[in-house]
Amino acid sequence: MTLARRTPKIGLALGSGSARGWAHIGVLKALEDAGIRPDVVCGASIGALVGAAYAAGELERFADWVQSLGMRDVFGFMDFNLSGGMLKGEKLISFWRRNFADFNIEDSALPFAAVATDLHSGAEVWLRHGSIADAVRASIAMPGLFTPVVREGRLLADGGLVNPVPASLARAMGADIVIAVDLNASLLHRHMHPLGVVATHPDETAGQPAEVVDAHSAAWMARLQSRLRGRRAGRATPASDAIPIPSLLDVAMTSVNIMQMRITRSRMAGDPPELVIAPRLSDMGLLDFHRAKEAVAAGYAAAQAALPGLQHFGWKAAVDKPPQENS
């Protein structure tokens, strides 16, 4: 019996990486420009957030909002918490519910799933039903930063702890060809630095110099700095040993990223995706959500460079288009 040839399903696995995750928007735009539309999409952490916007058909509007974010907007989503994590995360998810589509995952026209981690058992949890906003909230619950989420009797945290680039989930959703986006590939080349507390990037305050950032944002940053900055108590630092000490948050988050990078390498070696897109954003801080434009551009460029690898599957990637402004 001769089997009929069928069109292979394309799965997109969007990885974790905090603020670097805005690069996923550029990757999705590059896929669109190359005429490639994934049949399934899944994500871990920030990858789940961007993937949810894509599955909801809201990517263009979401990208416009993301690229309009300044430092004061990012601070506005900070809802400090006394237990479980530094931030509750409710402001962000409430904003999503008010401004973007929230619906049951099983009703999505584009199959979607998010990865989370069960903090009690350490098990990987695939979120494939129920509110898409609730699934995203669980998947982004980075330990120490966001409080974990209780869902169906489980205490859930960031999916990047167990499956930072969920290629295996895309495969389980029926993908024959998996395109994985790894945001942590170049982290070993990054010199760790303290969490930025002053606007120094030209886009951070919509063209305004750092000294005119409003007093409210400055106060939030001062509080964050005073709570989180590491100190060497009881001894002077010799001039020859004058290494800048990063904040407590930067140490914790960078440690998580290094762990995720190692886990990613191990998991992708066991079940390698057909294509890996790895934007080079090692100089981007964990909370640099206001630097979306450069992250989107980096994602677009990385995807254009990688897409010719799909040619032997029957696609000819368009690699000569420049990234579009505010895409």
Side-chain angles (χ1 to χ4, degrees), residues 1-79:
M1 181 179 69
T2 302
L3 295 176
R5 296 187 65 181
R6 66 180 180 87
T7 302
K9 281 189 175 183
I10 300 177
L12 187 60
L14 303 178
S16 60
S18 197
R20 293 186 298 277
W22 297 150
H24 291 315
I25 297 172
V27 169
L28 287 163
K29 179 60 178 172
L31 291 176
E32 177 184 313
D33 288 349
I36 298 172
R37 177 163 177 84
D39 297 289
V40 301
V41 61
C42 61
S45 197
I46 190 72
L49 177 61
V50 177
Y54 183 63
E58 298 269 16
L59 186 68
E60 184 174 352
R61 204 160 62 87
F62 183 74
D64 289 341
W65 170 69
V66 161
Q67 292 179 95
S68 73
L69 288 174
M71 286 186 71
R72 71 189 65 179
D73 301 306
V74 175
F75 302 147
F77 287 109
M78 291 184 177
D79 44 4

Side-chain angles (χ1 to χ4, degrees), residues 106-125:
E106 55 267 35
D107 297 330
S108 176
L110 176 64
F112 169 81
V115 180
T117 303
D118 186 326
L119 283 182
H120 287 149
S121 67
E124 178 178 344
V125 179

Side-chain angles (χ1 to χ4, degrees), residues 85-105:
M86 190 180 75
L87 305 175
K88 289 185 290 185
E90 298 308 319
K91 283 188 177 181
L92 175 61
I93 294 302
S94 294
F95 179 86
W96 173 277
R97 293 186 198 279
R98 290 194 308 270
N99 294 277
F100 299 100
D102 183 19
F103 52 87
N104 286 337
I105 295 173

Side-chain angles (χ1 to χ4, degrees), residues 136-324:
V136 168
R137 174 63 184 88
S139 189
I140 67 172
M142 182 178 287
L145 185 60
F146 287 113
T147 56
V149 172
V150 177
R151 181 184 170 105
E152 298 179 354
R154 286 175 151 173
L155 189 62
L156 301 181
D158 196 314
L161 295 175
V162 288
N163 200 351
V165 184
S168 58
L169 174 53
R171 196 86 67 192
M173 295 171 70
D176 302 297
I177 298 172
V178 176
I179 301 173
V181 185
D182 182 4
L183 303 175
N184 300 318
S186 61
L187 280 184
L188 283 183
H189 304 291
R190 175 177 180 244
H191 295 288
M192 192 166 61
H193 56 274
L195 186 68
V197 295
V198 185
T200 56
H201 191 270
D203 289 330
E204 288 179 3
T205 56
Q208 298 297 321
E211 58 269 19
V212 301
V213 177
D214 61 71
H216 178 69
S217 295
W220 275 96
M221 290 308 290
R223 287 179 60 191
L224 193 62
Q225 182 182 27
S226 64
R227 290 186 183 192
L228 301 175
R229 176 163 293 181
R231 293 183 175 87
R232 289 184 178 180
R235 70 179 182 88
T237 303
S240 61
D241 190 34
I243 299 174
I245 302 301
S247 70
L248 171 62
L249 180 63
D250 211 28
V251 170
M253 297 301 100
T254 301
S255 299
V256 168
N257 278 337
I258 291 172
M259 175 195 70
Q260 290 181 352
M261 180 190 63
R262 296 298 187 185
I263 294 172
T264 298
R265 289 182 178 182
S266 176
R267 294 206 60 156
M268 288 203 300
D271 186 7
E274 280 63 40
L275 185 73
V276 177
I277 299 173
R280 301 191 67 82
L281 289 166
S282 60
D283 63 330
M284 192 165 178
L286 291 157
L287 300 182
D288 285 346
F289 292 102
H290 54 283
R291 296 173 60 186
K293 288 183 179 179
E294 59 190 281
V296 170
Y300 191 99
Q304 280 198 313
L307 283 178
L310 287 180
Q311 287 183 357
H312 64 283
F313 293 104
W315 283 275
K316 184 177 181 181
V319 296
D320 56 351
K321 289 186 179 181
Q324 298 181 12

